[in-house]
C-alpha cells in the first residue's frame, strides 16, 4: 500500500522504475510537511482571530504557529538569515514588534504594525505572486478590471526580489 500510493511511486515517465522520485515533484521531508501544517494552522488562527474581533489569544497562537511552521519549512538557519538581513531589519522589527504588541494585549495596534512589517518583508515576492494569480481563470479576470488593474500593476512593479 505504501509504495503504491507514495510520492516516490508516481512518475510521469512511462517505463520508469516505480521507486524513482519524479523530477518535477521534489521530495518533501517530514519536517517540511509538519511546517506546512503549522503554517496553515497559523494562518487559520490569525484569520479566526481577526474574525472574532481581534481575539488576542487566537492571534498570538496564530503568530507562534506561523513562525514555527516557517522555521520547519525552510529551516532555522535560513529563517534567521531571511529575517535578519541588513536591508530587512526595519520590516523584521515591525513584524516581531507587532507580534510582541499582540502578546502584550493590544491586538489591533499589533496587527497593524505586524501587517506593515509583513508588507515590507515580503514586498519583493508580490510580483511573483501577482503574476501567478493573474493566470488563475476567474481571479485573473477580476484582477484585470479597470480600477483593480492599476493597483495590481503598481504592486507588481517592485524593483527586485532580494
Amino acid at each position: 500500500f505504501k509504495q503504491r500510493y507514495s510520492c516516490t511511486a508516481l512518475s510521469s515517465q512511462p517505463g520508469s522504475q516505480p521507486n524513482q522520485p519524479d523530477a518535477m515533484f521534489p521530495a518533501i521531508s517530514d519536517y517540511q510537511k509538519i511546517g506546512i501544517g503549522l503554517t496553515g494552522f497559523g494562518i487559520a488562527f490569525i484569520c479566526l482571530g481577526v474574525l472574532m474581533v481581534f481575539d488576542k489569544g487566537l492571534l498570538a497562537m496564530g503568530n507562534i504557529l506561523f513562525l514555527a511552521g516557517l522555521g520547519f519549512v525552510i529551516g532555522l538557519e535560513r529563517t534567521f538569515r531571511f529575517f535578519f538581513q541588513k536591508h530587512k531589519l526595519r520590516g523584521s522589527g515591525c513584524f516581531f514588534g507587532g507580534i510582541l504588541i499582540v502578546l502584550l494585549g493590544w491586538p489591533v495596534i499589533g496587527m497593524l504594525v505586524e501587517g506593515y512589517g509583513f508588507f515590507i518583508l515580503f514586498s519583493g515576492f508580490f510580483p511573483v505572486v501577482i503574476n501567478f494569480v493573474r493566470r488563475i481563470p476567474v481571479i485573473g479576470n477580476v484582477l484585470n478590471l479597470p480600477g483593480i488593474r492599476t493597483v495590481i500593476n503598481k504592486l507588481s512593479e517592485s524593483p527586485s526580489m532580494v
Side-chain angles (χ1 to χ4, degrees):
F1 178 78
K2 186 175 181 180
Q3 182 181 5
R4 184 181 208 187
Y5 294 104
S6 70
C7 292
T8 58
L10 300 175
S11 179
S12 61
Q13 301 293 331
S16 65
Q17 296 188 3
N19 290 334
Q20 297 287 331
D22 194 49
M24 284 183 56
F25 302 109
I28 297 175
S29 72
D30 289 338
Y31 288 117
Q32 289 174 323
K33 291 175 187 175
I34 292 169
I36 291 169
L38 288 173
T39 304
F41 277 117
I43 292 170
F45 271 78
I46 290 171
C47 291
L48 280 174
V50 171
L51 286 175
M52 300 289 180
V53 192
F54 292 97
D55 181 43
K56 64 181 177 182
L58 289 172
L59 292 174
M61 283 298 297
N63 286 327
I64 292 168
L65 288 172
F66 178 78
L67 288 175
L70 190 64
F72 271 93
V73 170
I74 64 174
L76 288 177
E77 181 183 344
R78 290 176 69 188
T79 303
F80 284 119
R81 274 193 285 159
F82 174 77
F83 280 111
F84 298 113
Q85 293 175 10
K86 189 173 184 176
H87 65 280
K88 292 186 179 182
L89 285 179
R90 185 177 66 177
S92 297
C94 288
F95 185 74
F96 290 120
I99 291 174
L100 182 66
I101 292 171
V102 167
L103 291 174
L104 291 176
W106 297 67
V108 176
I109 296 170
M111 287 303 292
L112 289 173
V113 172
E114 186 179 340
Y116 176 71
F118 184 85
F119 182 78
I120 291 174
L121 280 173
F122 295 101
S123 62
F125 296 109
F126 288 155
V128 175
V129 172
I130 288 171
N131 287 329
F132 174 76
V133 171
R134 279 183 173 164
R135 294 185 180 134
I136 299 173
V138 175
I139 299 172
N141 293 337
V142 171
L143 293 180
N144 284 327
L145 292 173
I148 299 172
R149 182 186 306 154
T150 56
V151 174
I152 295 299
N153 287 341
K154 224 27 162 166
L155 285 174
S156 66
E157 292 176 0
S158 182
S160 67
M161 196 179 77
V162 178

